[in-house]
Amino acid sequence: MDRRKSAITPENYTRAIISLSRRYSSTSAFPGNNYADIGEWMLQERSLLSSAKPGGAATSFASKSEQSHDLVVVYNSDEKEWDVQHYNQGQHEAFSAATSGPAEGFGQIVFIRGFLSPSWVAAIGSKYKIDPEFFRRHMDFLSPSVDRHAYSIPSLASCSNNIFRLCVNTLLHRDDFGRQHLQSQRLDESTELGTYKTQQLGSTRVCCGDSLVREYSTVCSRFSVMEQWISLCFVKRDGGWAVIAWMDQGRPLEKSPPGPWTCHLESKATPLPVLQHHPKMAFRTTNNRLDPDANASAEVQQSGVILPLQYDSLIALVDLARRAPQDPLSMCIPLFAHAAFSEVQFLNLIESRIQTQMNAIVKGVLTDTLGTLQYLSNILNRHARQLQDGIAALCNLAERRSHLLNEVKVEARLPPKSAAPTNPSLGKRRQMPGIETVQKSGPNSSDGSFTAKGLLNDYQQLCARCIDLSKMCTRGMTLAMNKATIEESRKAIEQSERLKKLTLLATFFIPLSFSSSLFSMNIDLLEQRVKFWWFFVLCIPITLLAYILYLWDLPAMRQFWVRFWKACHGVGRDGAFGSSEKDASYVV
């Protein structure tokens, strides 16, 4: 009975968000101006607030694609098996009505693959009592105006310490991304990305399950980087816990709203896979439950798009099958590791491009070098902040794990409660995927990339490397500016040498011109016939005088005459008064 009283319906959850968005500073100490956009977005499906149409299906964000798409995938953990449930875009009511959950003391992870409709936001938020801040942060593109969020983004870290964010990178490669100038192409992509967020994602053009792209950067003429988010929210449930993982990776990009990457996809850009490593991976095999045809249907495979479809196999494959059901940190480790491995490839690419620019600076080729290094530095600073958020998330999850373990120890002394009934029609039971160990070999992986300690060290090293590369860009820009300054100084010296030669020529020709002008004057003194040699008599002394003045160092001559005048003045005064001085040795 207590559980039913505390339950929140999707309609109540929607009304709560709308009510929060209508609070103002004049009436409340907690104004909700930053929720105004998401409140208006929730109102686009009026059926959420209409009790007269409880079964009305929302069609505003429905996709017209004929290919089925698992929008929500739920993994309920147990001691021996996983309960996996799949829901498409129209099954939000079945999701809300589902009563199956993890066993006592265990947890579950809920994957959201792509964009959500207001109906799904209300269904998931009401079922798990999620803070609306989780949805607002993930859909920050709904509030592009400063007047809406009033510079409240990002907020204090302690406000929502159960909400985390990971950044997953996908590298796109082709022979040449276009013959357009690189700087102009980057400016056009930035403008197009802003238009994509405001006019595509902020409207009804985006459908439920579509993929989202947060940032798109052209590193060089051959490589571009596409950044997508995985937002995590940790919530406690009755006798257990749940992790909500909202991924930007949904339907194939070519079937999602277009953006600055569309032209690259049309030109057959090749995505590079995220290569992960585990010490014993070469000696293990696992069953692949993916449909090869469905998996290969996308022209561009996004990083992490298949993680929710075989997550239980992945957990068992990296030796987390025993810890993950009872530990939220172990449950999320594969997601953190995937983001870390994608960050490694991104930093390796950036480092190679920076080294190329540094070599160009040494060779004296400064074309677009300064702009490229500044562009890469801005990207690295953004990634450094994201890695710092990842470090904070790992520390927070580790602290929550210790609290959960303490609670489990206390509850273990109490009599067990009856398990909640399950509905077998909504999902199917999967046995823990069998992993066949061919040979037990390889080093001890207690501090590997799929452990909490090893992953924390990896994120710290990635953050330090990201900062070092940013400093390397700064040094490169300083070197480029110094190189440009030296080049400008060299050009100035060459120009002064040319002016010196021109001045020397003018010193020779100006007296000749003056002499010619003087003899061509129509005055009485020159009415008589003048011999031709008089021209040289006048021209040669004037030329010599001009050349002497050219070579004359006026400050040095002034100092010479000053010293000469002082010396002469001092000698004259000494001679005038020298006879009046008495000899000290003279005795009367």
Side-chain angles (χ1 to χ4, degrees):
M1 295 298 293
D2 295 337
R3 183 178 179 181
R4 292 181 180 178
K5 290 181 180 179
S6 61
I8 301 177
T9 63
E11 180 180 354
N12 293 337
Y13 191 82
T14 304
R15 292 185 182 277
I17 294 179
I18 296 174
S19 176
L20 177 60
S21 66
R22 294 176 179 176
R23 295 179 188 173
Y24 302 101
S25 57
S26 59
T27 58
S28 175
F30 296 91
N33 302 65
N34 51 344
Y35 286 90
D37 293 287
I38 191 173
E40 295 177 359
W41 179 77
M42 295 289 290
L43 285 174
Q44 293 185 17
E45 287 190 358
R46 292 288 181 178
S47 59
L48 291 174
L49 303 177
S50 177
S51 58
K53 299 179 180 180
T59 58
S60 300
F61 297 89
S63 175
K64 299 180 181 179
S65 177
E66 298 179 356
Q67 184 179 359
S68 61
H69 175 71
D70 293 331
L71 179 64
V72 176
V73 182
V74 182
Y75 287 85
N76 295 318
S77 60
D78 203 341
E79 293 182 356
K80 297 182 180 179
E81 57 186 7
W82 292 89
D83 179 20
V84 186
Q85 303 171 7
H86 300 262
Y87 301 91
N88 57 33
Q89 63 178 356
Q91 294 180 328
H92 54 88
E93 293 182 354
F95 175 83
S96 299
T99 58
S100 61
E104 186 73 20
F106 292 86
Q108 66 177 175
I109 184 168
V110 180
F111 285 100
I112 305 172
R113 303 175 64 232
F115 187 78
L116 284 182
S117 64
S119 299
W120 268 106
V121 170
I124 297 175
S126 60
K127 184 172 184 178
Y128 294 96
K129 300 179 182 179
I130 300 176
D131 184 0
E133 182 71 10
F134 171 71
F135 298 106
R136 188 190 68 84
R137 290 189 182 184
H138 192 80
M139 295 189 293
D140 60 348
F141 47 80
L142 295 178
S143 301
S145 175
V146 177
D147 298 334
R148 293 288 193 174
H149 58 76
Y151 289 106
S152 62
I153 302 174
S155 185
L156 296 177
S158 59
C159 293
S160 302
N161 54 7
N162 63 327
I163 300 175
F164 319 110
R165 178 187 297 169
L166 300 176
C167 179
V168 180
N169 308 295
T170 301
L171 306 184
L172 297 179
H173 168 264
R174 59 160 295 187
D175 294 336
D176 190 1
F177 275 121
R179 299 180 180 179
Q180 186 182 4
H181 189 263
L182 194 58
Q183 297 295 339
S184 301
Q185 185 176 357
R186 289 168 178 169
L187 291 176
D188 294 342
E189 288 176 355
S190 178
T191 304
E192 191 174 354
L193 184 64
T195 305
Y196 162 78
K197 291 181 179 180
T198 55
Q199 298 184 5
Q200 296 287 345
L201 302 185
S203 64
T204 56
R205 299 177 184 176
V206 59
C207 299
C208 194
D210 286 345
S211 294
L212 309 180
V213 177
R214 303 295 175 163
E215 297 291 341
Y216 189 77
S217 309
T218 298
V219 179
C220 60
S221 59
R222 298 175 56 193
F223 287 96
S224 287
V225 181
M226 183 172 56
E227 301 178 21
Q228 295 173 297
W229 288 354
I230 300 178
S231 296
L232 302 175
C233 181
F234 173 83
V235 294
K236 288 186 177 181
R237 300 201 68 191
D238 298 333
W241 49 268
V243 174
I244 313 298
W246 191 353
M247 308 177 66
D248 284 341
Q249 298 88 344
R251 287 191 182 87
L253 283 175
E254 58 270 14
K255 298 180 181 179
S256 300
W261 53 88
T262 304
C263 60
H264 297 166
L265 300 183
E266 294 175 353
S267 58
K268 305 301 180 182
T270 303
L272 302 184
V274 177
L275 302 179
Q276 304 186 74
H277 173 72
H278 189 273
K280 301 179 182 179
M281 192 60 61
F283 308 100
R284 293 182 175 181
T285 59
T286 183
N287 297 327
N288 186 4
R289 296 182 303 275
L290 297 179
D291 184 4
D293 297 333
N295 191 30
S297 61
E299 297 180 4
V300 176
Q301 288 292 333
Q302 306 168 73
S303 298
V305 71
I306 64 173
L307 287 180
L309 303 180
Q310 54 177 10
Y311 200 70
D312 51 349
S313 297
L314 178 60
I315 286 179
L317 200 63
V318 295
D319 298 329
L320 294 174
R322 298 178 60 183
R323 290 178 292 170
Q326 303 177 6
D327 178 17
L329 177 57
S330 299
M331 182 75 82
C332 298
I333 278 179
L335 297 178
F336 279 89
H338 185 82
F341 278 109
S342 71
E343 189 70 20
V344 167
Q345 294 179 240
F346 166 76
L347 293 181
N348 291 339
L349 171 63
I350 295 296
E351 185 176 7
S352 65
R353 298 303 98 185
I354 294 176
Q355 192 61 44
T356 301
Q357 297 298 324
M358 298 292 284
N359 295 336
I361 294 174
V362 173
K363 295 178 181 179
V365 182
L366 302 179
T367 305
D368 295 336
T369 299
L370 194 61
T372 299
L373 290 176
Q374 182 64 52
Y375 182 76
L376 297 180
S377 178
N378 294 336
I379 297 176
L380 288 170
N381 291 334
R382 182 176 69 246
H383 279 252
R385 292 191 296 268
Q386 294 171 353
L387 290 171
Q388 290 172 356
D389 294 340
I391 294 173
L394 286 172
C395 296
N396 200 325
L397 285 174
E399 184 179 356
R400 290 180 178 275
R401 175 178 62 178
S402 62
H403 292 330
L404 285 175
L405 292 178
N406 294 333
E407 292 179 1
V408 170
K409 291 180 181 179
V410 173
E411 293 178 356
R413 303 174 184 176
L414 302 177
K417 299 180 181 179
S418 58
T422 59
N423 189 354
S425 61
L426 295 177
K428 58 181 180 179
R429 290 281 178 178
R430 286 185 187 164
Q431 297 293 332
M432 285 291 187
I435 299 177
E436 180 182 358
T437 304
V438 180
Q439 181 180 0
K440 294 183 179 180
S441 62
N444 186 10
S445 60
S446 59
D447 294 338
S449 299
F450 290 90
T451 61
K453 181 179 179 181
L455 201 57
L456 181 60
N457 293 333
D458 291 338
Y459 267 79
Q460 291 174 347
Q461 293 178 4
L462 287 174
C463 185
R465 184 184 178 189
C466 197
I467 295 175
D468 291 340
L469 289 178
S470 179
K471 293 180 179 179
M472 187 176 178
C473 288
T474 303
R475 292 193 298 268
M477 288 187 289
T478 303
L479 180 60
M481 289 187 291
N482 293 339
K483 197 85 172 180
T485 303
I486 294 174
E487 184 66 19
E488 291 297 329
S489 300
R490 186 185 62 81
K491 292 180 179 179
I493 293 173
E494 292 179 355
Q495 186 176 6
S496 64
E497 290 294 334
R498 296 190 186 98
L499 291 176
K500 182 179 179 180
K501 295 178 181 179
L502 183 62
T503 304
L504 184 60
L505 291 175
T507 305
F508 178 75
F509 283 101
I510 288 177
L512 298 179
S513 177
F514 172 74
S515 301
S516 301
S517 301
L518 182 62
F519 280 104
S520 63
M521 294 175 62
N522 189 12
I523 58 177
D524 296 339
L525 296 176
L526 299 178
E527 288 181 355
Q528 300 178 359
R529 295 178 60 87
V530 181
K531 301 293 184 179
F532 180 72
W533 54 270
W534 277 101
F535 174 78
F536 296 100
V537 171
L538 180 63
C539 182
I540 292 175
I542 295 177
T543 303
L544 292 176
L545 179 61
Y547 190 71
I548 291 172
L549 292 175
Y550 171 76
L551 298 177
W552 196 352
D553 190 354
L554 187 60
M557 292 299 296
R558 183 183 293 111
Q559 293 178 3
F560 170 76
W561 285 110
V562 169
R563 288 196 301 268
F564 178 76
W565 171 256
K566 289 182 178 180
C568 293
H569 185 68
V571 170
R573 185 172 55 185
D574 293 342
F577 297 97
S579 59
S580 63
E581 294 180 356
K582 295 183 179 181
D583 189 2
S585 61
Y586 178 75
V587 179
V588 180

